[in-house]
Amino acid sequence: MWRYIRWSLLAGLLIGVWIVMRLPVAAEFYARRIYPAVSGVLSRISSPFPFSVGDCFIYGSIVGILVYLIYAFVKKRSWKKTVGRTVEYLLWVYVWFYLAWGLNYFREDFFTRTQLPYADYSEEDFCSFLSAYTDSLNASFTPVEKVDQAVIASEVKNGYQEIAGRFGLVSPVGYLHPKPMLLPSLMSGVGVLGYIGPFFIEYNLNPDLLPVQYPFTYAHEMAHVLGISSEAEANLYGFLVCSRSEVPEIRFSAWFALLPYVLGNAWQLLPEEDFEQWKETISPEVKKAYNDKVAYWQGLYSPTIGDMQDTLYNWFLKSNNIPSGRKNYSEVVALLMAVNTK
């Protein structure tokens, strides 16, 4: 009897999740009305722990399934029951992921939610953006040897309090704090700076982050915790929050974090000669900081597992309503231009 109740409940939840996935209005209702309560409960459970509860759950589940399959094989248990129980567990994890956080992938798009007009590409507008961006990047430069994490936490949370209502984000609560990754060396090997733990609403930061990267990455991952799934939007909000800070190191972190995305857009959109001319307008100090950052992460990167992770994450994003996949990160430039022309 319990088995049928369990499977009936699971089937109902799966159908509900799939319906919401196909209705942006329903996903928006979830993001604004249901997710704040769900995230509040889950983050309250996980926040007292100094380690990532979600990482423990994920890695523990992987190990647990492998042990269970080996045990079933050694004991010659029915493979029908073994597979059935494994599939059921994975389906419960699937439901938990989407009900806890994942349905944010299917909410209304940025332009619908903010009622900002989408502007088609204009070379004149883009070049104007490039010029203004480069001036601000150069002017914001300051050497960042170390950062005060408590100050960053306060600045970022205050910044999100100011913009949360405008962009449909959950307001941050005081007890939220970043967690270290359970396997940071593995994450550095695939170039991951941070990620949200969706099962217990945690945000995990890589201990290998350079000081200049810490403020923006903190703010980027905070955006995910506040109900944003789009990487481009998380970049946008991280930038808006950090670039408005009165702390020079936090402000430079924002402008500096956008540089690889601006470079990518400029490379694709400008003639080669114009691109090279624009690059010359970036100050030598910023160029050195950027090259040092690239060299630092290349020394930690493992091409084999990095390429595998890139492929898997690209597939994951595309299957969750982010059609551009990993290219979504670079779409922050279009969003920023839309916000600035409002």
PDB file of all heavy atoms in Angstrom, residues 288-324:
ATOM      1  N   LYS A 288      47.571  43.751 -17.400  1.00  0.00           N
ATOM      2  CA  LYS A 288      48.434  42.896 -16.593  1.00  0.00           C
ATOM      3  C   LYS A 288      47.602  42.077 -15.609  1.00  0.00           C
ATOM      4  O   LYS A 288      47.824  40.872 -15.438  1.00  0.00           O
ATOM      5  CB  LYS A 288      49.471  43.716 -15.827  1.00  0.00           C
ATOM      6  CG  LYS A 288      50.442  42.860 -15.009  1.00  0.00           C
ATOM      7  CD  LYS A 288      51.463  43.694 -14.277  1.00  0.00           C
ATOM      8  CE  LYS A 288      52.495  42.816 -13.568  1.00  0.00           C
ATOM      9  NZ  LYS A 288      51.903  41.794 -12.686  1.00  0.00           N
ATOM     10  N   ALA A 289      46.652  42.732 -14.952  1.00  0.00           N
ATOM     11  CA  ALA A 289      45.792  42.023 -14.004  1.00  0.00           C
ATOM     12  C   ALA A 289      45.015  40.908 -14.707  1.00  0.00           C
ATOM     13  O   ALA A 289      44.868  39.794 -14.176  1.00  0.00           O
ATOM     14  CB  ALA A 289      44.831  42.989 -13.330  1.00  0.00           C
ATOM     15  N   TYR A 290      44.545  41.200 -15.919  1.00  0.00           N
ATOM     16  CA  TYR A 290      43.784  40.199 -16.674  1.00  0.00           C
ATOM     17  C   TYR A 290      44.677  39.033 -17.092  1.00  0.00           C
ATOM     18  O   TYR A 290      44.295  37.861 -16.938  1.00  0.00           O
ATOM     19  CB  TYR A 290      43.153  40.850 -17.901  1.00  0.00           C
ATOM     20  CG  TYR A 290      42.308  39.896 -18.716  1.00  0.00           C
ATOM     21  CD1 TYR A 290      41.031  39.544 -18.294  1.00  0.00           C
ATOM     22  CD2 TYR A 290      42.792  39.334 -19.900  1.00  0.00           C
ATOM     23  CE1 TYR A 290      40.252  38.662 -19.029  1.00  0.00           C
ATOM     24  CE2 TYR A 290      42.017  38.460 -20.635  1.00  0.00           C
ATOM     25  CZ  TYR A 290      40.756  38.127 -20.200  1.00  0.00           C
ATOM     26  OH  TYR A 290      39.997  37.250 -20.923  1.00  0.00           O
ATOM     27  N   ASN A 291      45.851  39.330 -17.610  1.00  0.00           N
ATOM     28  CA  ASN A 291      46.766  38.265 -18.036  1.00  0.00           C
ATOM     29  C   ASN A 291      47.235  37.427 -16.852  1.00  0.00           C
ATOM     30  O   ASN A 291      47.396  36.200 -16.970  1.00  0.00           O
ATOM     31  CB  ASN A 291      47.966  38.866 -18.764  1.00  0.00           C
ATOM     32  CG  ASN A 291      47.597  39.447 -20.118  1.00  0.00           C
ATOM     33  OD1 ASN A 291      46.632  39.019 -20.747  1.00  0.00           O
ATOM     34  ND2 ASN A 291      48.341  40.450 -20.567  1.00  0.00           N
ATOM     35  N   ASP A 292      47.446  38.067 -15.707  1.00  0.00           N
ATOM     36  CA  ASP A 292      47.843  37.329 -14.504  1.00  0.00           C
ATOM     37  C   ASP A 292      46.713  36.378 -14.067  1.00  0.00           C
ATOM     38  O   ASP A 292      46.974  35.245 -13.660  1.00  0.00           O
ATOM     39  CB  ASP A 292      48.161  38.298 -13.364  1.00  0.00           C
ATOM     40  CG  ASP A 292      49.472  39.030 -13.583  1.00  0.00           C
ATOM     41  OD1 ASP A 292      50.254  38.624 -14.475  1.00  0.00           O
ATOM     42  OD2 ASP A 292      49.717  40.022 -12.865  1.00  0.00           O
ATOM     43  N   LYS A 293      45.485  36.866 -14.162  1.00  0.00           N
ATOM     44  CA  LYS A 293      44.339  36.024 -13.792  1.00  0.00           C
ATOM     45  C   LYS A 293      44.231  34.816 -14.718  1.00  0.00           C
ATOM     46  O   LYS A 293      44.027  33.674 -14.264  1.00  0.00           O
ATOM     47  CB  LYS A 293      43.052  36.841 -13.861  1.00  0.00           C
ATOM     48  CG  LYS A 293      41.805  36.066 -13.435  1.00  0.00           C
ATOM     49  CD  LYS A 293      40.542  36.662 -13.998  1.00  0.00           C
ATOM     50  CE  LYS A 293      40.399  36.378 -15.488  1.00  0.00           C
ATOM     51  NZ  LYS A 293      39.064  36.704 -16.028  1.00  0.00           N
ATOM     52  N   VAL A 294      44.361  35.051 -16.013  1.00  0.00           N
ATOM     53  CA  VAL A 294      44.277  33.953 -16.986  1.00  0.00           C
ATOM     54  C   VAL A 294      45.376  32.926 -16.741  1.00  0.00           C
ATOM     55  O   VAL A 294      45.118  31.711 -16.725  1.00  0.00           O
ATOM     56  CB  VAL A 294      44.361  34.502 -18.428  1.00  0.00           C
ATOM     57  CG1 VAL A 294      44.493  33.359 -19.432  1.00  0.00           C
ATOM     58  CG2 VAL A 294      43.132  35.344 -18.747  1.00  0.00           C
ATOM     59  N   ALA A 295      46.592  33.385 -16.515  1.00  0.00           N
ATOM     60  CA  ALA A 295      47.706  32.473 -16.270  1.00  0.00           C
ATOM     61  C   ALA A 295      47.493  31.676 -14.983  1.00  0.00           C
ATOM     62  O   ALA A 295      47.802  30.474 -14.918  1.00  0.00           O
ATOM     63  CB  ALA A 295      49.021  33.255 -16.188  1.00  0.00           C
ATOM     64  N   TYR A 296      46.950  32.316 -13.968  1.00  0.00           N
ATOM     65  CA  TYR A 296      46.698  31.664 -12.685  1.00  0.00           C
ATOM     66  C   TYR A 296      45.726  30.493 -12.849  1.00  0.00           C
ATOM     67  O   TYR A 296      45.993  29.376 -12.383  1.00  0.00           O
ATOM     68  CB  TYR A 296      46.139  32.683 -11.697  1.00  0.00           C
ATOM     69  CG  TYR A 296      45.650  32.104 -10.401  1.00  0.00           C
ATOM     70  CD1 TYR A 296      46.538  31.708  -9.400  1.00  0.00           C
ATOM     71  CD2 TYR A 296      44.288  31.960 -10.158  1.00  0.00           C
ATOM     72  CE1 TYR A 296      46.082  31.186  -8.198  1.00  0.00           C
ATOM     73  CE2 TYR A 296      43.819  31.438  -8.958  1.00  0.00           C
ATOM     74  CZ  TYR A 296      44.725  31.056  -7.980  1.00  0.00           C
ATOM     75  OH  TYR A 296      44.262  30.528  -6.794  1.00  0.00           O
ATOM     76  N   TRP A 297      44.612  30.739 -13.530  1.00  0.00           N
ATOM     77  CA  TRP A 297      43.610  29.686 -13.678  1.00  0.00           C
ATOM     78  C   TRP A 297      44.017  28.616 -14.685  1.00  0.00           C
ATOM     79  O   TRP A 297      43.638  27.450 -14.553  1.00  0.00           O
ATOM     80  CB  TRP A 297      42.258  30.300 -14.044  1.00  0.00           C
ATOM     81  CG  TRP A 297      41.627  30.939 -12.849  1.00  0.00           C
ATOM     82  CD1 TRP A 297      41.558  32.271 -12.568  1.00  0.00           C
ATOM     83  CD2 TRP A 297      41.014  30.266 -11.744  1.00  0.00           C
ATOM     84  NE1 TRP A 297      40.950  32.472 -11.366  1.00  0.00           N
ATOM     85  CE2 TRP A 297      40.600  31.270 -10.832  1.00  0.00           C
ATOM     86  CE3 TRP A 297      40.772  28.938 -11.442  1.00  0.00           C
ATOM     87  CZ2 TRP A 297      39.960  30.964  -9.636  1.00  0.00           C
ATOM     88  CZ3 TRP A 297      40.131  28.630 -10.247  1.00  0.00           C
ATOM     89  CH2 TRP A 297      39.732  29.630  -9.359  1.00  0.00           C
ATOM     90  N   GLN A 298      44.820  29.000 -15.669  1.00  0.00           N
ATOM     91  CA  GLN A 298      45.323  27.990 -16.599  1.00  0.00           C
ATOM     92  C   GLN A 298      46.250  27.011 -15.886  1.00  0.00           C
ATOM     93  O   GLN A 298      46.301  25.827 -16.228  1.00  0.00           O
ATOM     94  CB  GLN A 298      46.066  28.659 -17.754  1.00  0.00           C
ATOM     95  CG  GLN A 298      45.144  29.262 -18.803  1.00  0.00           C
ATOM     96  CD  GLN A 298      45.889  29.879 -19.961  1.00  0.00           C
ATOM     97  OE1 GLN A 298      47.077  30.202 -19.860  1.00  0.00           O
ATOM     98  NE2 GLN A 298      45.193  30.087 -21.079  1.00  0.00           N
ATOM     99  N   GLY A 299      46.964  27.493 -14.874  1.00  0.00           N
ATOM    100  CA  GLY A 299      47.828  26.618 -14.099  1.00  0.00           C
ATOM    101  C   GLY A 299      47.065  25.612 -13.269  1.00  0.00           C
ATOM    102  O   GLY A 299      47.601  24.547 -12.906  1.00  0.00           O
ATOM    103  N   LEU A 300      45.806  25.902 -12.955  1.00  0.00           N
ATOM    104  CA  LEU A 300      44.975  24.997 -12.160  1.00  0.00           C
ATOM    105  C   LEU A 300      44.069  24.122 -13.021  1.00  0.00           C
ATOM    106  O   LEU A 300      43.543  23.114 -12.549  1.00  0.00           O
ATOM    107  CB  LEU A 300      44.103  25.805 -11.187  1.00  0.00           C
ATOM    108  CG  LEU A 300      44.841  26.663 -10.145  1.00  0.00           C
ATOM    109  CD1 LEU A 300      43.842  27.507  -9.360  1.00  0.00           C
ATOM    110  CD2 LEU A 300      45.647  25.788  -9.204  1.00  0.00           C
ATOM    111  N   TYR A 301      43.883  24.516 -14.275  1.00  0.00           N
ATOM    112  CA  TYR A 301      42.891  23.879 -15.150  1.00  0.00           C
ATOM    113  C   TYR A 301      43.360  22.528 -15.670  1.00  0.00           C
ATOM    114  O   TYR A 301      44.523  22.352 -16.022  1.00  0.00           O
ATOM    115  CB  TYR A 301      42.591  24.809 -16.323  1.00  0.00           C
ATOM    116  CG  TYR A 301      41.433  24.381 -17.185  1.00  0.00           C
ATOM    117  CD1 TYR A 301      40.126  24.510 -16.739  1.00  0.00           C
ATOM    118  CD2 TYR A 301      41.648  23.864 -18.459  1.00  0.00           C
ATOM    119  CE1 TYR A 301      39.059  24.137 -17.541  1.00  0.00           C
ATOM    120  CE2 TYR A 301      40.586  23.495 -19.269  1.00  0.00           C
ATOM    121  CZ  TYR A 301      39.288  23.631 -18.799  1.00  0.00           C
ATOM    122  OH  TYR A 301      38.240  23.251 -19.601  1.00  0.00           O
ATOM    123  N   SER A 302      42.434  21.586 -15.725  1.00  0.00           N
ATOM    124  CA  SER A 302      42.697  20.266 -16.303  1.00  0.00           C
ATOM    125  C   SER A 302      41.875  20.136 -17.583  1.00  0.00           C
ATOM    126  O   SER A 302      40.641  20.014 -17.506  1.00  0.00           O
ATOM    127  CB  SER A 302      42.306  19.151 -15.322  1.00  0.00           C
ATOM    128  OG  SER A 302      42.386  17.880 -15.941  1.00  0.00           O
ATOM    129  N   PRO A 303      42.499  20.183 -18.758  1.00  0.00           N
ATOM    130  CA  PRO A 303      41.735  20.192 -20.013  1.00  0.00           C
ATOM    131  C   PRO A 303      40.789  19.009 -20.181  1.00  0.00           C
ATOM    132  O   PRO A 303      39.667  19.182 -20.676  1.00  0.00           O
ATOM    133  CB  PRO A 303      42.837  20.168 -21.087  1.00  0.00           C
ATOM    134  CG  PRO A 303      44.030  20.756 -20.408  1.00  0.00           C
ATOM    135  CD  PRO A 303      43.950  20.303 -18.979  1.00  0.00           C
ATOM    136  N   THR A 304      41.205  17.832 -19.745  1.00  0.00           N
ATOM    137  CA  THR A 304      40.382  16.638 -19.964  1.00  0.00           C
ATOM    138  C   THR A 304      39.063  16.731 -19.216  1.00  0.00           C
ATOM    139  O   THR A 304      37.979  16.632 -19.811  1.00  0.00           O
ATOM    140  CB  THR A 304      41.135  15.374 -19.525  1.00  0.00           C
ATOM    141  OG1 THR A 304      42.354  15.284 -20.261  1.00  0.00           O
ATOM    142  CG2 THR A 304      40.281  14.136 -19.778  1.00  0.00           C
ATOM    143  N   ILE A 305      39.141  16.922 -17.893  1.00  0.00           N
ATOM    144  CA  ILE A 305      37.894  16.992 -17.129  1.00  0.00           C
ATOM    145  C   ILE A 305      37.202  18.329 -17.341  1.00  0.00           C
ATOM    146  O   ILE A 305      35.976  18.425 -17.220  1.00  0.00           O
ATOM    147  CB  ILE A 305      38.132  16.734 -15.624  1.00  0.00           C
ATOM    148  CG1 ILE A 305      39.110  17.764 -15.038  1.00  0.00           C
ATOM    149  CG2 ILE A 305      38.622  15.326 -15.398  1.00  0.00           C
ATOM    150  CD1 ILE A 305      39.267  17.638 -13.539  1.00  0.00           C
ATOM    151  N   GLY A 306      37.966  19.366 -17.683  1.00  0.00           N
ATOM    152  CA  GLY A 306      37.368  20.671 -17.950  1.00  0.00           C
ATOM    153  C   GLY A 306      36.481  20.636 -19.173  1.00  0.00           C
ATOM    154  O   GLY A 306      35.357  21.163 -19.163  1.00  0.00           O
ATOM    155  N   ASP A 307      36.958  20.014 -20.243  1.00  0.00           N
ATOM    156  CA  ASP A 307      36.155  19.902 -21.465  1.00  0.00           C
ATOM    157  C   ASP A 307      34.902  19.062 -21.218  1.00  0.00           C
ATOM    158  O   ASP A 307      33.824  19.354 -21.743  1.00  0.00           O
ATOM    159  CB  ASP A 307      36.987  19.272 -22.583  1.00  0.00           C
ATOM    160  CG  ASP A 307      38.090  20.202 -23.084  1.00  0.00           C
ATOM    161  OD1 ASP A 307      38.052  21.399 -22.734  1.00  0.00           O
ATOM    162  OD2 ASP A 307      38.991  19.723 -23.794  1.00  0.00           O
ATOM    163  N   MET A 308      35.044  18.026 -20.414  1.00  0.00           N
ATOM    164  CA  MET A 308      33.899  17.177 -20.094  1.00  0.00           C
ATOM    165  C   MET A 308      32.852  17.966 -19.313  1.00  0.00           C
ATOM    166  O   MET A 308      31.650  17.896 -19.594  1.00  0.00           O
ATOM    167  CB  MET A 308      34.360  15.971 -19.271  1.00  0.00           C
ATOM    168  CG  MET A 308      33.281  14.931 -18.999  1.00  0.00           C
ATOM    169  SD  MET A 308      33.905  13.575 -17.967  1.00  0.00           S
ATOM    170  CE  MET A 308      35.274  12.993 -18.984  1.00  0.00           C
ATOM    171  N   GLN A 309      33.318  18.748 -18.332  1.00  0.00           N
ATOM    172  CA  GLN A 309      32.398  19.546 -17.533  1.00  0.00           C
ATOM    173  C   GLN A 309      31.712  20.603 -18.388  1.00  0.00           C
ATOM    174  O   GLN A 309      30.510  20.857 -18.240  1.00  0.00           O
ATOM    175  CB  GLN A 309      33.158  20.206 -16.374  1.00  0.00           C
ATOM    176  CG  GLN A 309      32.269  20.866 -15.325  1.00  0.00           C
ATOM    177  CD  GLN A 309      31.965  22.334 -15.619  1.00  0.00           C
ATOM    178  OE1 GLN A 309      32.597  22.945 -16.476  1.00  0.00           O
ATOM    179  NE2 GLN A 309      31.002  22.892 -14.922  1.00  0.00           N
ATOM    180  N   ASP A 310      32.457  21.232 -19.301  1.00  0.00           N
ATOM    181  CA  ASP A 310      31.881  22.235 -20.193  1.00  0.00           C
ATOM    182  C   ASP A 310      30.757  21.640 -21.038  1.00  0.00           C
ATOM    183  O   ASP A 310      29.697  22.244 -21.204  1.00  0.00           O
ATOM    184  CB  ASP A 310      32.957  22.808 -21.122  1.00  0.00           C
ATOM    185  CG  ASP A 310      33.878  23.781 -20.400  1.00  0.00           C
ATOM    186  OD1 ASP A 310      33.554  24.179 -19.268  1.00  0.00           O
ATOM    187  OD2 ASP A 310      34.918  24.130 -20.979  1.00  0.00           O
ATOM    188  N   THR A 311      31.001  20.444 -21.567  1.00  0.00           N
ATOM    189  CA  THR A 311      30.000  19.776 -22.405  1.00  0.00           C
ATOM    190  C   THR A 311      28.753  19.442 -21.611  1.00  0.00           C
ATOM    191  O   THR A 311      27.617  19.693 -22.051  1.00  0.00           O
ATOM    192  CB  THR A 311      30.589  18.492 -23.017  1.00  0.00           C
ATOM    193  OG1 THR A 311      31.723  18.827 -23.818  1.00  0.00           O
ATOM    194  CG2 THR A 311      29.555  17.782 -23.877  1.00  0.00           C
ATOM    195  N   LEU A 312      28.939  18.891 -20.404  1.00  0.00           N
ATOM    196  CA  LEU A 312      27.800  18.500 -19.573  1.00  0.00           C
ATOM    197  C   LEU A 312      27.004  19.723 -19.129  1.00  0.00           C
ATOM    198  O   LEU A 312      25.767  19.714 -19.162  1.00  0.00           O
ATOM    199  CB  LEU A 312      28.281  17.714 -18.353  1.00  0.00           C
ATOM    200  CG  LEU A 312      28.819  16.304 -18.631  1.00  0.00           C
ATOM    201  CD1 LEU A 312      29.407  15.696 -17.358  1.00  0.00           C
ATOM    202  CD2 LEU A 312      27.712  15.411 -19.179  1.00  0.00           C
ATOM    203  N   TYR A 313      27.705  20.782 -18.732  1.00  0.00           N
ATOM    204  CA  TYR A 313      26.996  21.962 -18.254  1.00  0.00           C
ATOM    205  C   TYR A 313      26.288  22.673 -19.402  1.00  0.00           C
ATOM    206  O   TYR A 313      25.193  23.218 -19.234  1.00  0.00           O
ATOM    207  CB  TYR A 313      27.963  22.914 -17.550  1.00  0.00           C
ATOM    208  CG  TYR A 313      27.264  24.024 -16.803  1.00  0.00           C
ATOM    209  CD1 TYR A 313      26.226  23.740 -15.915  1.00  0.00           C
ATOM    210  CD2 TYR A 313      27.623  25.354 -16.993  1.00  0.00           C
ATOM    211  CE1 TYR A 313      25.568  24.750 -15.235  1.00  0.00           C
ATOM    212  CE2 TYR A 313      26.973  26.369 -16.306  1.00  0.00           C
ATOM    213  CZ  TYR A 313      25.946  26.068 -15.431  1.00  0.00           C
ATOM    214  OH  TYR A 313      25.295  27.067 -14.751  1.00  0.00           O
ATOM    215  N   ASN A 314      26.894  22.662 -20.575  1.00  0.00           N
ATOM    216  CA  ASN A 314      26.258  23.236 -21.755  1.00  0.00           C
ATOM    217  C   ASN A 314      24.950  22.501 -22.056  1.00  0.00           C
ATOM    218  O   ASN A 314      23.916  23.123 -22.325  1.00  0.00           O
ATOM    219  CB  ASN A 314      27.206  23.147 -22.949  1.00  0.00           C
ATOM    220  CG  ASN A 314      26.737  23.989 -24.126  1.00  0.00           C
ATOM    221  OD1 ASN A 314      26.509  25.178 -24.005  1.00  0.00           O
ATOM    222  ND2 ASN A 314      26.577  23.349 -25.276  1.00  0.00           N
ATOM    223  N   TRP A 315      24.999  21.172 -21.993  1.00  0.00           N
ATOM    224  CA  TRP A 315      23.791  20.365 -22.211  1.00  0.00           C
ATOM    225  C   TRP A 315      22.756  20.644 -21.140  1.00  0.00           C
ATOM    226  O   TRP A 315      21.558  20.784 -21.417  1.00  0.00           O
ATOM    227  CB  TRP A 315      24.161  18.882 -22.210  1.00  0.00           C
ATOM    228  CG  TRP A 315      22.952  17.988 -22.188  1.00  0.00           C
ATOM    229  CD1 TRP A 315      22.188  17.600 -23.234  1.00  0.00           C
ATOM    230  CD2 TRP A 315      22.351  17.400 -21.012  1.00  0.00           C
ATOM    231  NE1 TRP A 315      21.146  16.798 -22.799  1.00  0.00           N
ATOM    232  CE2 TRP A 315      21.222  16.656 -21.449  1.00  0.00           C
ATOM    233  CE3 TRP A 315      22.667  17.406 -19.657  1.00  0.00           C
ATOM    234  CZ2 TRP A 315      20.415  15.954 -20.557  1.00  0.00           C
ATOM    235  CZ3 TRP A 315      21.858  16.713 -18.766  1.00  0.00           C
ATOM    236  CH2 TRP A 315      20.748  15.988 -19.221  1.00  0.00           C
ATOM    237  N   PHE A 316      23.196  20.745 -19.886  1.00  0.00           N
ATOM    238  CA  PHE A 316      22.282  20.987 -18.767  1.00  0.00           C
ATOM    239  C   PHE A 316      21.550  22.314 -18.950  1.00  0.00           C
ATOM    240  O   PHE A 316      20.328  22.391 -18.780  1.00  0.00           O
ATOM    241  CB  PHE A 316      23.063  20.984 -17.454  1.00  0.00           C
ATOM    242  CG  PHE A 316      22.244  21.394 -16.252  1.00  0.00           C
ATOM    243  CD1 PHE A 316      21.421  20.475 -15.637  1.00  0.00           C
ATOM    244  CD2 PHE A 316      22.302  22.690 -15.755  1.00  0.00           C
ATOM    245  CE1 PHE A 316      20.648  20.836 -14.533  1.00  0.00           C
ATOM    246  CE2 PHE A 316      21.540  23.066 -14.661  1.00  0.00           C
ATOM    247  CZ  PHE A 316      20.720  22.128 -14.048  1.00  0.00           C
ATOM    248  N   LEU A 317      22.275  23.376 -19.294  1.00  0.00           N
ATOM    249  CA  LEU A 317      21.646  24.679 -19.473  1.00  0.00           C
ATOM    250  C   LEU A 317      20.646  24.652 -20.630  1.00  0.00           C
ATOM    251  O   LEU A 317      19.533  25.189 -20.516  1.00  0.00           O
ATOM    252  CB  LEU A 317      22.707  25.749 -19.720  1.00  0.00           C
ATOM    253  CG  LEU A 317      23.588  26.133 -18.529  1.00  0.00           C
ATOM    254  CD1 LEU A 317      24.666  27.117 -18.967  1.00  0.00           C
ATOM    255  CD2 LEU A 317      22.756  26.745 -17.407  1.00  0.00           C
ATOM    256  N   LYS A 318      21.017  24.053 -21.754  1.00  0.00           N
ATOM    257  CA  LYS A 318      20.129  24.012 -22.912  1.00  0.00           C
ATOM    258  C   LYS A 318      18.860  23.221 -22.618  1.00  0.00           C
ATOM    259  O   LYS A 318      17.791  23.545 -23.135  1.00  0.00           O
ATOM    260  CB  LYS A 318      20.862  23.412 -24.116  1.00  0.00           C
ATOM    261  CG  LYS A 318      21.916  24.341 -24.708  1.00  0.00           C
ATOM    262  CD  LYS A 318      22.539  23.756 -25.960  1.00  0.00           C
ATOM    263  CE  LYS A 318      23.515  24.749 -26.596  1.00  0.00           C
ATOM    264  NZ  LYS A 318      24.104  24.242 -27.854  1.00  0.00           N
ATOM    265  N   SER A 319      18.972  22.193 -21.779  1.00  0.00           N
ATOM    266  CA  SER A 319      17.800  21.388 -21.433  1.00  0.00           C
ATOM    267  C   SER A 319      16.944  22.063 -20.365  1.00  0.00           C
ATOM    268  O   SER A 319      15.859  21.565 -20.039  1.00  0.00           O
ATOM    269  CB  SER A 319      18.228  19.994 -20.953  1.00  0.00           C
ATOM    270  OG  SER A 319      18.975  20.074 -19.755  1.00  0.00           O
ATOM    271  N   ASN A 320      17.431  23.194 -19.822  1.00  0.00           N
ATOM    272  CA  ASN A 320      16.682  23.912 -18.795  1.00  0.00           C
ATOM    273  C   ASN A 320      16.386  25.348 -19.218  1.00  0.00           C
ATOM    274  O   ASN A 320      16.607  26.305 -18.460  1.00  0.00           O
ATOM    275  CB  ASN A 320      17.448  23.891 -17.469  1.00  0.00           C
ATOM    276  CG  ASN A 320      17.264  22.589 -16.719  1.00  0.00           C
ATOM    277  OD1 ASN A 320      16.208  22.334 -16.140  1.00  0.00           O
ATOM    278  ND2 ASN A 320      18.286  21.749 -16.746  1.00  0.00           N
ATOM    279  N   ASN A 321      15.906  25.482 -20.445  1.00  0.00           N
ATOM    280  CA  ASN A 321      15.367  26.756 -20.928  1.00  0.00           C
ATOM    281  C   ASN A 321      16.421  27.851 -21.109  1.00  0.00           C
ATOM    282  O   ASN A 321      16.102  29.031 -21.120  1.00  0.00           O
ATOM    283  CB  ASN A 321      14.272  27.250 -19.958  1.00  0.00           C
ATOM    284  CG  ASN A 321      13.270  28.162 -20.638  1.00  0.00           C
ATOM    285  OD1 ASN A 321      12.924  27.967 -21.803  1.00  0.00           O
ATOM    286  ND2 ASN A 321      12.795  29.161 -19.917  1.00  0.00           N
ATOM    287  N   ILE A 322      17.704  27.448 -21.257  1.00  0.00           N
ATOM    288  CA  ILE A 322      18.766  28.406 -21.591  1.00  0.00           C
ATOM    289  C   ILE A 322      19.324  27.958 -22.945  1.00  0.00           C
ATOM    290  O   ILE A 322      20.326  27.240 -23.027  1.00  0.00           O
ATOM    291  CB  ILE A 322      19.890  28.418 -20.531  1.00  0.00           C
ATOM    292  CG1 ILE A 322      19.323  28.623 -19.130  1.00  0.00           C
ATOM    293  CG2 ILE A 322      20.911  29.496 -20.864  1.00  0.00           C
ATOM    294  CD1 ILE A 322      18.795  30.000 -18.857  1.00  0.00           C
ATOM    295  N   PRO A 323      18.673  28.316 -24.059  1.00  0.00           N
ATOM    296  CA  PRO A 323      19.036  27.782 -25.370  1.00  0.00           C
ATOM    297  C   PRO A 323      20.464  28.075 -25.812  1.00  0.00           C
ATOM    298  O   PRO A 323      21.033  27.331 -26.607  1.00  0.00           O
ATOM    299  CB  PRO A 323      18.023  28.418 -26.329  1.00  0.00           C
ATOM    300  CG  PRO A 323      17.489  29.607 -25.593  1.00  0.00           C
ATOM    301  CD  PRO A 323      17.526  29.247 -24.149  1.00  0.00           C
ATOM    302  N   SER A 324      21.053  29.144 -25.302  1.00  0.00           N
ATOM    303  CA  SER A 324      22.418  29.479 -25.702  1.00  0.00           C
ATOM    304  C   SER A 324      23.473  28.721 -24.905  1.00  0.00           C
ATOM    305  O   SER A 324      24.669  28.838 -25.188  1.00  0.00           O
ATOM    306  CB  SER A 324      22.655  30.987 -25.550  1.00  0.00           C
ATOM    307  OG  SER A 324      22.398  31.408 -24.226  1.00  0.00           O
TER     308      SER A 324
END
